[in-house]
Amino acid sequence: MTHFKYHKVSKSKKIRFICNIHKGAPFIVFLHGFMSDLEGKKPNAFLKFAKQNKLSFLALEYSGHGKSSGKFINGNITKWSNETSALIKKFVKKNDFIIIGSSMGAWLALKQFQKFKNQIKGFLGIGSAPEFLENLMWKKFTKKMKSETIQKGILQLKHGNYEYPITLQLIKDGRKNKVLNKKINSKINVTMVHGQKDEVVPVSYSRKVLKIFQKAKKKLVIINDGDHSLSSQKWLKTIIKELKLII
């Protein structure tokens, strides 16, 4: 059973998170994807792995996600990245950690290198999607979609069975949070896992992430029949195996 807790960021804002501490042990920090939460199979698998290996674990739901307060449409990369940093400061403190980013979580993870570079000892990306707002959304919008977003400030984007409320402020904020143009010189293990059949984010995004790390030990693992979420038992096994190698 997962024990969720709440962290009060301000009077009106609380962030739901999972934190399991093994005194003196390094942390695994997991960052979920866009419009996702901590109810899925991935955070549970990583929590279980951390417990079995006597490692500390932290994961959070950004504002407007899961059971955290706030509206999704008021969120953006800057906000979610700052909330992540605040919880890392509070719970990880000065401990070393390995950061895992799923989809948008990989973008937020790259933002954490700006603040915790010396503490991050490894990075695992799953279907990594840095800068997806501009490249995979805005640039692919039709003229009509763009003008609706500009006029109304929001577009209900249908994708598969889901509808994503994409705001203009979110797109604009994404442009202020470029990460693919900033080199990172950490000598750490960086592994990107990506499904070959990912219909949301192309494998090229994982390659782009690896390019940023100039001194890291880099690895790209392509899962042949893998989709974007990579949540099945079989795929989670592969991801956990890669996590062990990073550690």
Side-chain angles (χ1 to χ4, degrees):
M1 180 63 198
T2 306
H3 294 292
F4 290 105
K5 298 173 188 136
Y6 285 92
H7 172 60
K8 271 189 112 153
V9 185
S10 65
K11 273 185 184 162
S12 59
K13 188 160 112 179
K14 54 183 195 183
I15 297 290
R16 187 167 80 146
F17 70 99
I18 302 168
C19 186
N20 189 60
I21 295 177
H22 270 280
K23 229 179 148 84
F27 270 78
I28 290 171
V29 175
F30 173 71
L31 306 180
H32 68 67
F34 189 63
M35 288 193 84
S36 186
D37 54 44
L38 295 181
E39 303 281 349
K41 291 180 183 143
K42 284 197 287 274
N44 261 324
F46 296 131
L47 173 62
K48 199 171 139 190
F49 172 81
K51 283 179 174 172
Q52 284 165 349
N53 293 278
K54 297 193 168 44
L55 295 162
S56 299
F57 180 77
L58 172 70
L60 70 143
E61 290 173 336
Y62 329 117
S63 58
H65 288 75
K67 300 251 166 43
S68 287
S69 58
K71 284 194 173 130
F72 178 78
I73 54 171
N74 295 336
N76 55 40
I77 300 299
T78 301
K79 247 188 206 171
W80 300 329
S81 177
N82 288 341
E83 289 159 6
T84 301
S85 304
L87 266 82
I88 291 173
K89 266 198 187 105
K90 185 162 173 66
F91 297 105
V92 179
K93 298 189 168 90
K94 293 278 175 242
N95 289 296
D96 289 342
F97 63 96
I98 285 162
I99 198 159
I100 304 173
S102 173
S103 193
M104 176 182 82
W107 188 354
L108 298 179
L110 288 167
K111 294 286 296 170
Q112 303 313 309
F113 277 91
Q114 295 164 17
K115 293 173 187 171
F116 305 102
K117 199 166 132 194
N118 299 330
Q119 282 173 255
I120 300 175
K121 300 299 174 198
F123 175 29
L124 175 64
I126 305 162
S128 298
E131 299 181 25
F132 74 94
L133 292 166
E134 188 69 19
N135 301 324
L136 297 177
M137 285 187 176
W138 188 253
K139 283 183 180 166
K140 296 190 172 179
F141 282 4
T142 60
K143 270 191 181 145
K144 193 178 157 213
M145 286 160 84
K146 283 181 181 171
S147 65
E148 186 182 324
T149 313
I150 292 163
Q151 279 158 12
K152 292 183 180 169
I154 188 163
L155 176 79
Q156 297 298 334
L157 183 67
K158 286 181 180 64
H159 189 90
N161 303 324
Y162 297 100
E163 197 167 72
Y164 297 111
I166 305 300
T167 58
L168 185 61
Q169 68 82 15
L170 176 70
I171 298 280
K172 283 183 168 171
D173 178 80
R175 291 172 189 150
K176 289 185 210 150
N177 284 286
K178 288 200 164 86
V179 285
L180 294 171
N181 56 357
K182 294 179 174 68
K183 301 282 181 247
I184 297 172
N185 291 320
S186 306
K187 290 179 178 166
I188 57 170
N189 289 328
V190 178
T191 301
M192 294 290 118
V193 182
H194 215 111
Q196 182 75 57
K197 296 201 165 122
D198 188 333
E199 289 173 1
V200 187
V201 183
V203 176
S204 60
Y205 275 71
S206 280
R207 292 200 174 94
K208 285 178 190 180
V209 174
L210 291 174
K211 269 199 186 112
I212 308 170
F213 290 91
Q214 296 185 301
K215 296 178 178 172
K217 245 180 99 179
K218 304 191 270 194
K219 188 175 177 187
L220 174 62
V221 178
I222 296 173
I223 297 182
N224 287 335
D225 52 347
D227 60 6
H228 182 57
S229 88
L230 298 176
S231 305
S232 76
Q233 270 331 98
K234 180 175 80 171
W235 297 332
L236 281 171
K237 256 192 192 142
T238 303
I239 293 169
I240 295 282
K241 193 179 91 190
E242 293 306 327
L243 177 59
K244 275 184 188 158
L245 292 171
I246 290 176
I247 294 167

